Amino acid sequence: MTPAMNRFTFLAVSLLLANAALAEMPQISDARIPLPPPGAPVAAGFLTIVNPDEQALVITGASSPIAEKVELHLSMVVDDVAKMQRQDELVVDPGATLTLEHGSYHLMFMGMNAVLAAGDQVAVTLDTSAGALDIVFPVGEHAAGSRGHADDGKSSGTGDSTTHEGMTHGDENQEMPPMEMPNSTTDGQ
């Protein structure tokens, strides 16, 4: 390589690295895991994600040492029956906010291998298009009258939403109609 090509290559790489460094990282707030009942095989995780970047943020998965697997879920009520459907990904548009909360999108910790107590700090890694995001989720007390991740301790249909028993999950191969993210907002709207 000639000295001029070396300088050009150095400049090009420097600009690429500078551009990558300028990409704004997602902002995470309100991360929490409501205290599940003792022996519950599942727990839910909630948080708010703000994407200040000019590119969409795609969340493709999550993991935590407290569970065999962590899935992205959407809760919904269909014909008076509470259902959850695993989501392959969640997209947070540029400048938008996505709130993972009860009754909507949330993290589902499945195959719990740890007993949680109020005040525990749980490490969770979100797999995203911006790279791995390591987040600490505090474990909180139940809300009054709550037993886990349901506000009233029950699903709208049959089953116990705190143990996942009786919950109907969508067939992963079944095609679902596209859903708008009801809790995703864009600044200025």
Side-chain angles (χ1 to χ4, degrees), residues 23-147:
E24 294 189 59
M25 292 301 293
Q27 299 166 1
I28 307 296
S29 62
D30 301 323
R32 66 204 177 283
I33 298 173
L35 182 64
V42 298
F46 308 119
L47 71 154
T48 298
I49 305 165
V50 176
N51 179 14
D53 198 26
E54 294 178 4
Q55 300 294 319
L57 175 69
V58 182
I59 304 165
T60 57
S63 60
S64 176
I66 68 161
E68 291 175 16
K69 63 182 174 177
V70 182
E71 293 183 349
L72 307 171
H73 275 202
L74 173 62
S75 295
M76 63 193 93
V77 177
V78 178
D79 297 326
D80 292 326
V81 177
K83 297 183 178 195
M84 285 189 226
Q85 177 159 24
R86 185 178 62 80
Q87 305 292 296
D88 292 329
E89 63 183 30
L90 300 178
V91 177
V92 186
D93 290 326
T97 297
L98 175 64
T99 301
L100 279 66
E101 60 190 352
H102 168 68
S104 186
Y105 294 101
H106 60 278
L107 298 177
M108 183 57 67
F109 299 86
M110 303 175 77
M112 298 291 291
N113 54 35
V115 177
L116 300 179
D120 285 351
Q121 302 289 309
V122 175
V124 177
T125 300
L126 290 183
D127 302 319
T128 77
S129 56
L133 299 178
D134 294 324
I135 305 165
V136 174
F137 282 65
V139 177
E141 294 287 344
H142 314 299
S146 176
R147 296 178 359 198

Side-chain angles (χ1 to χ4, degrees), residues 5-22:
M5 288 182 75
N6 282 339
R7 279 182 284 216
F8 176 77
T9 301
F10 176 77
L11 180 61
V13 169
S14 296
L15 288 173
L16 286 172
L17 291 175
N19 189 36
L22 292 177

Side-chain angles (χ1 to χ4, degrees), residues 141-165:
E141 294 287 344
H142 314 299
S146 176
R147 296 178 359 198
H149 69 280
D151 287 343
D152 62 1
K154 301 179 241 177
S155 63
S156 298
T158 60
D160 182 346
S161 63
T162 62
T163 63
H164 232 219
E165 292 176 19

